[in-house]
Amino acid sequence: MADNASQPLEPILDLDRFRVDPDTKLSLNRIDPSGTPGWDADERAEAELRSVLLNQRLESLQERLWAAGSERVLVVLQAMDAGGKDGTIANVFEGVNPTGVRVASFKAPSSLELAHDYLWRIHQHVPAKGELVIFNRSHYEDVLVVRVMDLAPEERWRKRYRHIREFEAMLADEGVTIIKLYLHISKDEQKERLEARLADPTKHWKFDAGDLVHRAKWDGYMEAFEEAISETSTKKAPWYVVPANRKWYRNLAVLEILVQHLEALRLEYPPASPDIATIEVPD
Ligand code: ATP
Ligand code: MG
């Protein structure tokens, strides 16, 4: 680990730019997915350098999180298909020690999962002490795809905003730090990314014809995201909307958000046993 990662970095991006305040109504069409708020659009190289430093700092903070074993951190990632969830995880957590970090991916529920309430499968993946868990999709699918694809009647999914607020409030009260990220891409950007998957044989595995079915309901998804985010962004479990057409900016913004949240936990290595200086390792 780089030595310079032992000190906090001066924050550069103000998280208020991305945070959706409780009781405000989010309008996604007012947020430019190609935007680079707080950063010059042509300063990609500088952003990448800054991201390297932030990544090193994240590595250092995660080591303390794991060593101290007292805090729990949950990162929720949501986006449209090809929105960059996997790429974000790969980039942001590059080099971070996988011990203590876990990704939980939520696909269409199995019959066993469907036989339970929708939070059943989620709760078992919430981080334990010392862990940082990334949700790649989450319980939010139950108010997104379920709503847009009409998998449950409105009277059923609408109540879930309240369930989710209360579930997350319970987790926060029990000491879980919750950070929710929506990667905001444009419909045109999604087209380009899906086309790139079709054009490159090494990306064919990523192409899912089902994505086109969801794409056809783009506006419905935007509306569902707007309402879900507006209804569930709380002080203890805030949503951040990250412009994500430009991957370098997305990575930078996500790193800033995560590092600032982890800094706020004031993570320290656990105290050594008082007699550590007198311990000798036998031959
Ligand atoms: P990629 O971006 O690489 O395609 P992915 O996250 O889309 O990754 P998939 O294997 O394609 O992963 O499966 C996710 C699918 O499962 C999505 O279409 C999502 O909407 C669906 N899904 C997730 N949770 C639920 C849910 N609770 N109910 C119904 N469908 C769900
Ligand atoms: Mg998919």
Side-chain angles (χ1 to χ4, degrees):
M1 189 192 308
D3 292 344
N4 60 11
S6 57
Q7 293 302 319
L9 291 167
E10 204 54 50
I12 289 189
L13 291 181
D14 184 352
L15 300 200
D16 293 349
R17 291 178 184 278
F18 312 104
R19 192 187 297 109
V20 178
D21 288 327
D23 305 318
T24 57
K25 173 92 189 70
L26 171 67
S27 278
L28 284 173
N29 60 16
R30 287 210 217 121
I31 301 177
D32 179 4
S34 295
T36 60
W39 204 269
D40 257 350
D42 57 6
E43 283 187 342
R44 174 178 173 164
E46 288 82 348
E48 284 171 349
L49 279 177
R50 168 81 181 166
S51 292
V52 169
L53 294 179
L54 284 164
N55 168 269
Q56 288 168 352
R57 183 65 186 156
L58 181 66
E59 191 184 337
S60 166
L61 288 164
Q62 186 275 330
E63 186 179 84
R64 282 172 221 213
L65 174 73
W66 181 244
S70 52
E71 300 289 337
R72 305 181 272 164
V73 179
L74 174 60
V75 179
V76 173
L77 261 188
Q78 287 286 164
M80 292 297 286
D81 294 300
K85 299 186 300 299
D86 292 335
T88 300
I89 295 169
N91 276 280
V92 165
F93 289 93
E94 187 179 352
V96 174
N97 188 344
T99 305
V101 176
R102 204 152 50 82
V103 179
S105 297
F106 295 96
K107 313 273 181 191
S110 67
S111 51
L112 177 65
E113 288 167 346
L114 281 174
H116 291 79
D117 67 86
Y118 66 99
L119 291 173
W120 178 76
R121 66 172 183 163
I122 305 294
H123 202 167
Q124 39 194 313
H125 287 289
V126 167
K129 286 185 174 176
E131 273 191 320
L132 186 155
V133 174
I134 304 139
F135 279 4
N136 182 348
R137 302 187 188 268
S138 64
H139 43 303
Y140 284 94
E141 293 292 327
D142 294 282
V143 288
L144 294 166
V145 63
V146 166
R147 166 183 178 161
V148 178
M149 304 309 284
D150 215 5
L151 304 179
E154 176 164 357
E155 58 178 20
R156 185 128 173 253
W157 58 253
R158 186 160 287 285
K159 292 185 182 134
R160 292 178 175 171
Y161 297 136
R162 179 170 54 81
H163 305 158
I164 291 173
R165 280 195 301 269
E166 289 176 0
F167 172 63
E168 292 178 352
M170 180 277 287
L171 295 180
D173 288 347
E174 291 291 317
V176 183
T177 296
I178 306 172
I179 307 149
K180 301 181 290 193
L181 304 168
Y182 168 62
L183 308 178
H184 184 37
I185 61 163
S186 62
K187 197 175 178 189
D188 287 345
E189 179 69 21
Q190 188 196 48
K191 183 165 196 272
E192 271 181 38
R193 293 185 187 182
L194 293 176
E195 284 172 347
R197 290 179 180 182
L198 287 170
D200 178 350
T202 69
K203 288 185 177 170
H204 283 173
W205 64 277
K206 284 193 183 184
F207 186 80
D208 177 356
D211 294 353
L212 301 183
V213 176
H214 299 291
R215 177 174 169 78
K217 298 192 179 259
W218 184 273
D219 293 344
Y221 271 103
M222 291 305 106
E223 209 181 308
F225 270 112
E226 281 174 340
E227 192 167 10
I229 292 171
S230 303
E231 288 282 341
T232 61
S233 200
T234 59
K235 196 156 182 296
K236 287 177 179 170
W239 270 108
Y240 295 92
V241 176
V242 176
N245 275 6
R246 299 178 206 241
K247 293 175 183 172
W248 61 264
Y249 183 79
R250 170 201 78 195
N251 294 340
L252 173 72
V254 170
L255 277 162
E256 286 274 2
I257 294 166
L258 297 186
V259 166
Q260 287 189 38
H261 271 275
L262 289 174
E263 297 289 7
L265 293 176
R266 310 214 168 276
L267 300 161
E268 297 291 349
Y269 289 106
S273 73
D275 58 351
I276 195 122
T278 64
I279 300 175
E280 284 181 35
V281 179
D283 292 337

